[in-house]
C-alpha cells in the first residue's frame, strides 16, 4: 500500500518536472516579449518568479493526481527501475537524501486522509517521527523510547528482530537490498526504484534526473536577424563611468551639514511636552515686544489657606491675639482675621468687598508704568585693580619733624640738590634756610616784604637761592658751600655798574644788593613777579609776571647778566613756567592750557588742553614725558605727552584749590597739596615701555596742618633723595613726612 | 569647701627662691618662699627690700629688677609665667639685680647753642660740641674748663682719641665747615674761667659737612664721615707731631696768630655709600662700621678699603654703635622711632634681631654700655633718652629731662648718661648701677 502511494507520488513528481519545464519555457517566451522593457538583470528575476509560479501550479496539480491515479503509469515506472537494480545495491547507504525523501513521502501518505487539500509544496515540512530533537542518538541508546508524541504518549522503539530472523527475512525478500534502517526514526525504509536510480546517478557524478541534459543546445531566443537596427550599438556613455557631479555636490553638502552640526546623528532626547497653562497671561515682556514696553498690571494676591471658610486651627487667632490687633496700628494689624464656619452656608457677606475692589482699582491705576532698568553689577568689580599700597613702599606716611620759626604763612619751599638744606619763604618777610635732619634754622634773611617764591639753584656747587619779592627777583648767596664755591658764587654775584643798563628795551635791571649777608643780586621787574624757576644747568632762570603781557615771561642768564623775553607769542595769562628736566623744552601754563615750546627751534611743540577751570601749578616728570597740572578747582590732571594733548587721567581729590604739585626726582611718587590742609601722595610709575600706560595709585593723605585765613598747605616739595615730603603751611609750619 | 579654698589660695601663690650675683650685703636667704602670683616688679622689689631690712635694720630701700630664665619681668608674675609657659609646679628661681635706673639728675650744664655732640668716653671730663661752633670740656656738671675754639661752623661730632694718659688728652671734632680739628686737652683743671684752646691740627678734604668722627682703639688713626658720602681715614700721629710739621706744607687758616696748626690730607677714602654717611664707629683695628642716609649699614675692612657687610635697613640711619655680646651687635636708629639691633654673625638674614619702638620720633643717637652686654641707650627727637635691656622689650627707664630734641647722648663713667639737645643743655643722669 505504502509503496503504491509512493510510486504514485513519484509519478507526480516526474510529471511535475516535465510540466515545469514546459511552463518554464512558456514563461521564457513571455519574458522574451518583455525583454525590451527590462534590463538583463530583471529578466532573470522574472524567470525565477515564473519558477515559483510553477511551484504553485505544481501543488494544485498534485492534488488532482492524488485523486485519480492511473496504474499504467506506475507499472511503467516499475519496469524502468529494474534495469538499474545492481547498481543501486552499492549506493544503498549513501542515499541519505533519498532516504529522507522517501521517509517524508511516507509521512505524507499517513497524513493524507485529513490533509487532502493541504499543500505539500515543501516536503521538508513533514515532521520526523522522532521528537528528541537534534541531539546525539547515543543519549537514547539504552532508552526504550525515542521521544513523546504530541499527546504525551511514549514513542516506543521497535522491537529489535533477531539477527538470524532478520537475515532469513532478507534472504527471502528480494527487495531487501533496497531496505535501510533509519536509526533516527527507528524504522526500516525501502528505497524506491527511482530513488535508487537517483542515487546511482549521483554517485557517478551525473545530474540526478535522467532527463536533464546539461549540454542542451543553446536556444537563442532573441531575434537577431529581422532587426534593422541593432538594439544599441552606442558606446557606453561617459556618465556611466565618471562619478556624478551632482551626486558629489550633494555629498559635499551633506558632509558640510554634518560638520556644521546641522545634521545630527544622535537625536536629542525628546523632552516631555509640558503644556504651559499660564502661557496666555504670562508677564514676560517679550510676548509683546512689538509694542512699547508692556508692563502687566500687578496681580492680586491669591487667597491663602487662612481665607478658607474652615481654616486649620493653627490659623485661627486666639482671643488675646484679636484683642492685641485692636491695639495695633491700622497698617500693622492683619487685613483678614480667619474664622471658622461649620458650612459654606454660614459664611456672611464680605463687608469689605467694595473697599477691596476700590483698592484693587487703585492698584491698577496707580501702578508704576515705567520699567526701571537695574544693572546687577557689583560696584566693587568696576574699580580698577590697583596694587596694594604695601607693595609700593616707601612713600611718606608720618610726620616726625616740624620746622618752626616763621611768623607768617610759609608760601614756598625749596630743597637743595643734596637734600641737606631746605629754604623757605614766608609772608612774614623772611627767607630761612633749615637743616633738614635737625630742623635747625641756619640762615635768616629779613627781606621786609612777602616772599612769594623761593627756588634753590640745581647745581650743588652753586648754593644760591632765587626768591621772588614783589616785583623783584633776588638771587641770594646762602654762604653754605665750601670756600672755593663761595669764591665762585661771589664772583658770579658781582654786578658791575656797566652791566646794569636801564634800557627801555630790557625792562629788567640787574642791581647789586649788599643789604644781605653773603651778597645778592636784585633783578628789578616792571610788574609783580609770581614765580621763578631755574634751568637744570643753573645758569638760566625764568620769571613769570602775569600782568606783563608780551613780556610776561622772561629768561635771565646769570653768568652774562642778560635778560630776554621768551621768543613766543603768549596766549592768555601765564601762571607758571617750567623748564624740561632734560631737553631744551619750555612749558608755559596759562589758566586754561599748557603750551610746550622748543627753545632751540623757537616754536610751539604741543598744546595740552587741560579742561580745567584755572591751572595753579605744574610739574614735569623727571623723565620729561609726563606732566601733572593742578587746578584751583581741586583737580589734578596727568598728561602723557606722547599719548595725547588731553589728560590721560584726571584725579578729583581735593575739595579746595590745589596750591602745588610735585614729582619726586627718583622715586615713582608725586604729590599735590591743597588749601584743605591735606597733601595727597600718589604712586606714579612711568614705564619705559611705550605701550604701557603710567600706573597711578593714590597712596596716602597727609594731614596735620591747620588752616589759617582759609589757606591750608601752600607748597609741597619732595626730598631730592629720600621718599620724604615737605609741606609748607599757612600755619607758619613746615612739616616733613617720612616713610 | 575648705579644701577648694585652700586650693585656690595655693594656685594664686608661687613658690619662689631668690638668687643673685650681687655682693654680700644685698644677698637674701636662699630659702624658698611663697609669694602671691599677681605681684609685679614693684612687689617683688618690696619683698627683697623687706628681706634685706629684716637682716639689716638700717637698710634703705632700693629698686631691684628680676630675671626669670634670663628675661626681665615687666608684668605681673602670673601673666609672665603664663606668657612664657613656665610651670608653677617647681620652685621658681628668680634672679634679682639692681634696677638700672638713674637715681640722680644733675644740674644741667647750659650752652650758648644747641648741643650737637657729646662724648663721655674719658671718665675725667665730658666733651661736648655745640651749634655755636665751640667744643667744650666739662669737668663736672656745670663746670666748664675749656672751650675749643676754631671751627667756623656747627660742630657735628666729637670724639676723645687718647684715653691712656691723664695729662694730655687728644680730642677730635668734626664740623659742618668741612674740617676735622684735633685738640690737645690738659686733663687737669686750672682756674675757674674756661680756658680757650686752639686746634693743633686741621684735617681738610671733605667736600661737604663732616657728620661724624671716630677714633681707632690704638689712637693712631681717626675716621670721619661726611655728607659727600665718603668715609676718610686720617692719621693723627700725635706722638711725632713735630716731625710731621716739618714735612707737611704749612698753611694759615683764618686765624692770624696760629702757628702750631698743621694740615693734613686723608690717608685713604672709603667709597661705597651713595648718600650722606651719618655715623661711623671704629671698634676694632681693622673694621669700621658706618650708617648712612642711603638706608644701609656697612662694615668696612680698613686694610682693603672694601665693605665686607652691607645691611639694608629701609630707613634713613642717623646713628650707629657696635657693642653687646662680643662687641658684635650693631645698633642703629634713624628716621623712624624704631631702634634696631642686628647680629651680623647670624648667617643668611639681614633682619634685625631686636626692634625697640618706644620713641615717638627720629632716633638721634644710640650707645652701648661698654661693660654690660645687655644695656644700651637711645636718644630721640621726642626729647627722651631711654635705657634698654636686651632682655626685655620695654625700656628700663625713660629720662625726660630735655624740653626739646635730644641730639646726642652717651654713657659717662659707666654709671651716668649724658645727653645734649636742642634746648642747649647738657643733662647728666647719674647713679645708674650696673
Amino acid at each position: 500500500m505504502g509503496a503504491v502511494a509512493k510510486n504514485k507520488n513519484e509519478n507526480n513528481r516526474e510529471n511535475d518536472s516535465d510540466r515545469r519545464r514546459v511552463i518554464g519555457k512558456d514563461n521564457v517566451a513571455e519574458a522574451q516579449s518583455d525583454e525590451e522593457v527590462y534590463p538583463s538583470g530583471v529578466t532573470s528575476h522574472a524567470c525565477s518568479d515564473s519558477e515559483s509560479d510553477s511551484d504553485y501550479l505544481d501543488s494544485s496539480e498534485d492534488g488532482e493526481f492524488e485523486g485519480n491515479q492511473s496504474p499504467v503509469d506506475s507499472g511503467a515506472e516499475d519496469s524502468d527501475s529494474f534495469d538499474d537494480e545492481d547498481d543501486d545495491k552499492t549506493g544503498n547507504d549513501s542515499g541519505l537524501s533519498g532516504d529522507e525523501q522517501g521517509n517524508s513521502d511516507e509521512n505524507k501518505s499517513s497524513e493524507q486522509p485529513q490533509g487532502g487539500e493541504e499543500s505539500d509544496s515543501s516536503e521538508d515540512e513533514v515532521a520526523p517521527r522522532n521528537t528528541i530533537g537534534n541531539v546525539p542518538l547515543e543519549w537514547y541508546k539504552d532508552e526504550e523510547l525515542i521521544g513523546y508524541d504530541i499527546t504525551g504518549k511514549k514513542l516506543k522503539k521497535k522491537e529489535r528482530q533477531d539477527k538470524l530472523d532478520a537475515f532469513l527475512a532478507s534472504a527471502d525478500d528480494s527487495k531487501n537490498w533496497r531496505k535501510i534502517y533509519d536509526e533516527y526514526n527507528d524504522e526500516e525504509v525501502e528505497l524506491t526504484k527511482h530513488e535508487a536510480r537517483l542515487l546511482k546517478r549521483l554517485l557517478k557524478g551525473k545530474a540526478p534526473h535522467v532527463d536533464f541534459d546539461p549540454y542542451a543546445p543553446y536556444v537563442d531566443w532573441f531575434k537577431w536577424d529581422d532587426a534593422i537596427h541593432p538594439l544599441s550599438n552606442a558606446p557606453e556613455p561617459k556618465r556611466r563611468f565618471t562619478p556624478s557631479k551632482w551626486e558629489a555636490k550633494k555629498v559635499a553638502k551633506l558632509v558640510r551639514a554634518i560638520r556644521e552640526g546641522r545634521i545630527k546623528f544622535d537625536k536629542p532626547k525628546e523632552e516631555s511636552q509640558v503644556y504651559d497653562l499660564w502661557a496666555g497671561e504670562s508677564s514676560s515682556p517679550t510676548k509683546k515686544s512689538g509694542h512699547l514696553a508692556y508692563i502687566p498690571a500687578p496681580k492680586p494676591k491669591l487667597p491663602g489657606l487662612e481665607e478658607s471658610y474652615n481654616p486649620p486651627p493653627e490659623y485661627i487667632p486666639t482671643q488675646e491675639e484679636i484683642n492685641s490687633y485692636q491695639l495695633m496700628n491700622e497698617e500693622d494689624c492683619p487685613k483678614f482675621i480667619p474664622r471658622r464656619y461649620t458650612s459654606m452656608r454660614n459664611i456672611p457677606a464680605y463687608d469689605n468687598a467694595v473697599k477691596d475692589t476700590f483698592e484693587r482699582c487703585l492698584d491698577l491705576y496707580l501702578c508704576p508704568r515705567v520699567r526701571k532698568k537695574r544693572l546687577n553689577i557689583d560696584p566693587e568689580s568696576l574699580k580698577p585693580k590697583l596694587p596694594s599700597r604695601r607693595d609700593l613702599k616707601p612713600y611718606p606716611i608720618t610726620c616726625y619733624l616740624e620746622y618752626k620759626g616763621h611768623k607768617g604763612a610759609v608760601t614756598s619751599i625749596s630743597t637743595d640738590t643734596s637734600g641737606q638744606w631746605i629754604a623757605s619763604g614766608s609772608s612774614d618777610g623772611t627767607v630761612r634756610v633749615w637743616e633738614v635732619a635737625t630742623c635747625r634754622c641756619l640762615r635768616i634773611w629779613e627781606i621786609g616784604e612777602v616772599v612769594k617764591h623761593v627756588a634753590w639753584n640745581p647745581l650743588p656747587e652753586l648754593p644760591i637761592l632765587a626768591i621772588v619779592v614783589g616785583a623783584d627777583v633776588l638771587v641770594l648767596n646762602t654762604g653754605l658751600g665750601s670756600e672755593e664755591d663761595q669764591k665762585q658764587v661771589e664772583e658770579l654775584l658781582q654786578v658791575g655798574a656797566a652791566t646794569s643798563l636801564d634800557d627801555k628795551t630790557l625792562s629788567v635791571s640787574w642791581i647789586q644788593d649788599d643789604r644781605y649777608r653773603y651778597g645778592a643780586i636784585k633783578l628789578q621787574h616792571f610788574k609783580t613777579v609770581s614765580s621763578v624757576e631755574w634751568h637744570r644747568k643753573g645758569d638760566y632762570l625764568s620769571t613769570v609776571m602775569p600782568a606783563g603781557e608780551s613780556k610776561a615771561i622772561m629768561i635771565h642768564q646769570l653768568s652774562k647778566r642778560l635778560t630776554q623775553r621768551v621768543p613766543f607769542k603768549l596766549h592768555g595769562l601765564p601762571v607758571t613756567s617750567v623748564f624740561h628736566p632734560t631737553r631744551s623744552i619750555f612749558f608755559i601754563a596759562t589758566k586754561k592750557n599748557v603750551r610746550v615750546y622748543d627753545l632751540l627751534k623757537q616754536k610751539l611743540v604741543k598744546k595740552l588742553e587741560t579742561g580745567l577751570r584755572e591751572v595753579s601749578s605744574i610739574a614735569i616728570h623727571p623723565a620729561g614725558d609726563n606732566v601733572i597740572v593742578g587746578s584751583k578747582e581741586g583737580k589734578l590732571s596727568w598728561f602723557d605727552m606722547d599719548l595725547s594733548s588731553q589728560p590721560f587721567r584726571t584725579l578729583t581729590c581735593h575739595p579746595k584749590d590745589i596750591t602745588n604739585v610735585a614729582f619726586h626726582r627718583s622715586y615713582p611718587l608725586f604729590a599735590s597739596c591743597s588749601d584743605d590742609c591735606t597733601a595727597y601722595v600718589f604712586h606714579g610709575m612711568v614705564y619705559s615701555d611705550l605701550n604701557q600706560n603710567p600706573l597711578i595709585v593714590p597712596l596716602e593723605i597727609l594731614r596735620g596742618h591747620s588752616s589759617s585765613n582759609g589757606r591750608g598747605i601752600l607748597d609741597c616739595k619732595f626730598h631730592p633723595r629720600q621718599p620724604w615730603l615737605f609741606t609748607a603751611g599757612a600755619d607758619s609750619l613746615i612739616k616733613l613726612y617720612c616713610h | 569647701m575648705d579644701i577648694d579654698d585652700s586650693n585656690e589660695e595655693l594656685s594664686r601663690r608661687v613658690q619662689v627662691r631668690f638668687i643673685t650675683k650681687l655682693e654680700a650685703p644685698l644677698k637674701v636667704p636662699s630659702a624658698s618662699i611663697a609669694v602671691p602670683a599677681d605681684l609685679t616688679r614693684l612687689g617683688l622689689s618690696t619683698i627683697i627690700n623687706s628681706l634685706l631690712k629684716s637682716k639689716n635694720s638700717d637698710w634703705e630701700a632700693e629698686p631691684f629688677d628680676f630675671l626669670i630664665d634670663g628675661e626681665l619681668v615687666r608684668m605681673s608674675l602670673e601673666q609672665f609665667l603664663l606668657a612664657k609657659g613656665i610651670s608653677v609646679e617647681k620652685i621658681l628661681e628668680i634672679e634679682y639685680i639692681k634696677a638700672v635706673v638713674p637715681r640722680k639728675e644733675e644740674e644741667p650744664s647750659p650752652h650758648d647753642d644747641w648741643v650737637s655732640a657729646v662724648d663721655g668716653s674719658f671718665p675725667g671730663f665730658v666733651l661736648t660740641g655745640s651749634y655755636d661752633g665751640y667744643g667744650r670740656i666739662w669737668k663736672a656738671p656745670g663746670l666748664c674748663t675749656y672751650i675749643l675754639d676754631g671751627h667756623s661752623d656747627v660742630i657735628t661730632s666729637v670724639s676723645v682719641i687718647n684715653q691712656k694718659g691723664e695729662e694730655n688728652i687728644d680730642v677730635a671734632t668734626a664740623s659742618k665747615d668741612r674740617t676735622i680739628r684735633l685738640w690737645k686737652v690738659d686733663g687737669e683743671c686750672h682756674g675757674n674761667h674756661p680756658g680757650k684752646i686752639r686746634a693743633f691740627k686741621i684735617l681738610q678734604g671733605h667736600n661737604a659737612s663732616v657728620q661724624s668722627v671716630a677714633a681707632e682703639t690704638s689712637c693712631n688713626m681717626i675716621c670721619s664721615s661726611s655728607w659727600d658720602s665718603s668715609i676718610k681715614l686720617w692719621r693723627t700721629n700725635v706722638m711725632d707731631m713735630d716731625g710731621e710739621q716739618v714735612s707737611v706744607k704749612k698753611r694759615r687758616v683764618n686765624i692770624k696768630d696760629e702757628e702750631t696748626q698743621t694740615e693734613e690730607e686723608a690717608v685713604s677714602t672709603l667709597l661705597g655709600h651713595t648718600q650722606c654717611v651719618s655715623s661711623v664707629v671704629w671698634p676694632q683695628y681693622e673694621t669700621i662700621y658706618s650708617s648712612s642716609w642711603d638706608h644701609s649699614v656697612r662694615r668696612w675692612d680698613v686694610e682693603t678699603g672694601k665693605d665686607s657687610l652691607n645691611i639694608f635697613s629701609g630707613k634713613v640711619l642717623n646713628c650707629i654703635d657696635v657693642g653687646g655680646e662680643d662687641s658684635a651687635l650693631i645698633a642703629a636708629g634713624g628716621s623712624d622711632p624704631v631702634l634696631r639691633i642686628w647680629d651680623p654673625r647670624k648667617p643668611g638674614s639681614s633682619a634685625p634681631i631686636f626692634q625697640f619702638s618706644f620713641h615717638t620720633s627720629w632716633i638721634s643717637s644710640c650707645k652701648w654700655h661698654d661693660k654690660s652686654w645687655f644695656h644700651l641707650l637711645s636718644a630721640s627727637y621726642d626729647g627722651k633718652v631711654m635705657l634698654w635691656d636686651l632682655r626685655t622689650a620695654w625700656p628700663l627707664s625713660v629720662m625726660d629731662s630735655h624740653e626739646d630734641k635730644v641730639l646726642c647722648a652717651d654713657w659717662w663713667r659707666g654709671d651716668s648718661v649724658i645727653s645734649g639737645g636742642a634746648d642747649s643743655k647738657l643733662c647728666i643722669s647719674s647713679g645708674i648701677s650696673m
Side-chain angles (χ1 to χ4, degrees), chain B residues 33-155:
Chain B
I33 45 174
V35 297
D38 54 351
L39 276 187
T40 56
R41 186 203 67 83
L42 184 68
L44 288 170
S45 193
T46 344
I47 290 175
I48 297 289
N49 276 315
S50 57
L51 283 173
L52 289 170
K53 189 146 195 174
S54 67
K55 217 163 55 170
N56 184 0
S57 55
D58 52 345
W59 172 256
E60 274 182 35
E62 202 178 322
F64 289 98
D65 238 330
F66 298 88
L67 286 162
I68 298 174
D69 288 354
E71 201 144 350
L72 285 170
V73 181
R74 274 293 173 274
M75 38 188 130
S76 84
L77 212 52
E78 201 172 13
Q79 284 173 322
F80 184 87
L81 296 181
L82 218 64
K84 300 289 166 197
I86 299 170
S87 161
V88 199
E89 305 284 313
K90 289 185 285 181
I91 296 171
L92 197 62
E93 287 205 341
I94 302 181
E95 188 185 348
Y96 64 93
I97 52 173
K98 279 187 175 179
V100 179
V101 281
R103 283 159 183 77
K104 204 171 139 202
E105 198 72 42
E106 305 281 348
E107 194 64 25
S109 316
H111 286 66
D112 294 341
D113 209 335
W114 293 11
V115 182
S116 58
V118 68
D119 190 334
S121 51
F122 183 69
F125 57 79
V126 175
L127 174 64
T128 64
S130 168
Y131 264 74
D132 56 7
Y134 295 120
R136 287 179 177 81
I137 304 261
W138 301 83
K139 201 83 197 164
L143 180 64
C144 178
T145 50
Y146 292 110
I147 289 177
L148 313 180
D149 179 14
H151 280 296
S152 61
D153 210 334
V154 176
I155 290 181

Side-chain angles (χ1 to χ4, degrees), chain A residues 557-667:
Chain A
Q557 191 177 8
L558 196 61
S559 56
K560 292 180 181 167
R561 291 163 200 87
L562 276 177
T563 297
Q564 55 183 340
R565 66 175 196 85
V566 284
F568 320 113
K569 188 174 180 292
L570 297 173
H571 307 264
L573 228 55
V575 178
T576 49
S577 63
V578 201
F579 287 100
H580 191 278
T582 50
R583 282 179 287 160
S584 61
I585 288 175
F586 193 58
F587 296 78
I588 297 174
T590 59
K591 289 208 169 177
K592 295 276 180 198
N593 300 317
V594 177
R595 286 184 170 77
V596 187
Y597 297 97
D598 193 325
L599 286 173
L600 289 180
K601 292 177 186 164
Q602 304 211 340
K603 66 171 189 186
L604 182 70
V605 176
K606 201 161 201 162
K607 183 181 160 192
L608 304 176
E609 286 151 14
T610 59
L612 304 170
R613 205 180 303 138
E614 195 174 347
V615 172
S616 65
S617 48
I618 180 172
I620 318 290
H621 188 265
D625 283 338
N626 293 275
V627 178
I628 49 173
V629 172
S631 83
K632 291 216 169 167
E633 70 225 75
K635 281 185 185 168
L636 181 72
S637 291
W638 175 293
F639 289 91
D640 192 333
M641 299 239 292
D642 295 332
L643 201 68
S644 112
S645 61
Q646 302 288 326
F648 161 66
R649 199 138 291 174
T650 301
L651 310 165
T652 312
C653 40
H654 291 286
K656 284 187 173 178
D657 303 9
I658 290 180
T659 48
N660 213 339
V661 288
F663 264 112
H664 198 282
R665 225 174 59 175
S666 47
Y667 288 90

Side-chain angles (χ1 to χ4, degrees), chain B residues 202-325:
Chain B
I202 300 169
L203 308 176
Q204 276 185 329
H206 279 298
N207 293 326
S209 52
V210 186
Q211 283 300 103
S212 174
V213 63
E216 188 230 327
T217 43
S218 66
C219 310
N220 292 325
M221 305 265 278
I222 58 167
C223 66
S224 66
S225 70
S226 158
W227 258 94
D228 60 9
S229 62
S230 66
I231 299 169
K232 285 187 192 289
L233 307 186
W234 315 82
R235 187 167 288 118
T236 54
N237 287 66
V238 183
M239 295 310 144
D240 48 1
M241 185 199 76
D242 298 331
E244 282 288 315
Q245 203 174 355
V246 179
S247 60
V248 171
K249 187 189 160 197
K250 199 163 149 187
R251 200 191 125 191
R252 304 218 148 182
V253 186
N254 288 343
I255 298 143
K256 300 272 165 53
D257 58 350
E258 190 168 2
E259 275 158 29
T260 55
Q261 278 187 344
T262 58
E263 271 191 32
E264 231 188 78
E265 300 283 315
V267 176
S268 71
T269 306
L270 307 178
L271 289 173
H273 282 295
T274 55
Q275 288 190 47
C276 158
V277 187
S278 53
S279 182
V280 281
V281 282
W282 198 341
Q284 282 142 35
Y285 173 68
E286 68 276 7
T287 47
I288 291 173
Y289 293 84
S290 68
S291 68
S292 163
W293 276 40
D294 63 6
H295 307 179
S296 69
V297 170
R298 292 184 201 221
R299 183 175 65 198
W300 302 87
D301 193 333
V302 176
E303 298 291 321
T304 59
K306 296 269 166 31
D307 54 337
S308 53
L309 177 79
N310 191 344
I311 301 171
F312 181 77
S313 77
K315 303 279 176 182
V316 163
L317 296 172
N318 286 328
C319 54
I320 187 172
D321 197 18
V322 177
E325 197 183 345

Side-chain angles (χ1 to χ4, degrees), chain A residues 388-599:
Chain A
S388 154
R389 291 197 301 168
R390 193 181 292 272
D391 304 335
L392 302 176
K393 281 184 175 179
Y395 56 89
I397 299 167
T398 35
C399 171
Y400 289 122
L401 302 186
E402 286 180 355
Y403 303 82
K404 291 178 193 164
H406 277 298
K407 304 281 189 298
V410 184
T411 51
S412 177
I413 46 176
S414 177
T415 57
D416 87 310
T417 331
S418 64
Q420 196 177 0
W421 299 296
I422 177 168
S424 65
S426 163
S427 59
D428 63 358
T430 58
V431 172
R432 288 172 192 243
V433 171
W434 311 81
E435 190 183 10
V436 168
T438 56
C439 312
R440 164 88 179 186
C441 179
L442 293 174
R443 305 267 191 275
I444 303 176
W445 287 274
E446 295 280 350
I447 310 293
E449 229 183 306
V450 175
V451 180
K452 276 191 194 147
H453 200 241
V454 292
W456 205 294
N457 191 303
L459 291 186
E461 63 267 20
L462 279 182
I464 52 177
L465 274 174
I467 63 171
V468 174
V469 183
D472 300 336
V473 173
L474 280 169
V475 181
L476 282 176
N477 179 13
T478 58
L480 284 169
S482 61
E483 285 165 37
E484 290 82 30
D485 293 346
Q486 275 304 311
K487 252 180 223 163
Q488 199 186 334
V489 170
E490 274 164 31
E491 277 171 29
L492 194 67
L493 296 184
Q494 284 294 329
V495 182
T499 49
S500 61
L501 292 169
D502 234 339
D503 233 291
K504 276 183 185 175
T505 51
L506 268 176
S507 71
V508 171
S509 48
W510 296 65
I511 301 167
Q512 180 91 34
D513 199 337
D514 291 330
R515 281 186 298 159
Y516 308 109
R517 207 172 145 201
Y518 309 113
I521 293 179
K522 188 193 267 179
L523 284 80
Q524 270 183 335
H525 291 64
F526 61 97
K527 282 274 165 50
T528 313
V529 180
S530 66
S531 72
V532 64
E533 177 81 26
W534 286 96
H535 185 251
R536 66 177 188 282
K537 284 175 183 161
D539 197 17
Y540 296 95
L541 69 161
S542 71
T543 56
V544 178
M545 286 178 286
E549 289 173 353
S550 68
K551 290 174 185 169
I553 296 172
M554 310 284 247
I555 295 181
H556 314 276
Q557 191 177 8
L558 196 61
S559 56
K560 292 180 181 167
R561 291 163 200 87
L562 276 177
T563 297
Q564 55 183 340
R565 66 175 196 85
V566 284
F568 320 113
K569 188 174 180 292
L570 297 173
H571 307 264
L573 228 55
V575 178
T576 49
S577 63
V578 201
F579 287 100
H580 191 278
T582 50
R583 282 179 287 160
S584 61
I585 288 175
F586 193 58
F587 296 78
I588 297 174
T590 59
K591 289 208 169 177
K592 295 276 180 198
N593 300 317
V594 177
R595 286 184 170 77
V596 187
Y597 297 97
D598 193 325
L599 286 173

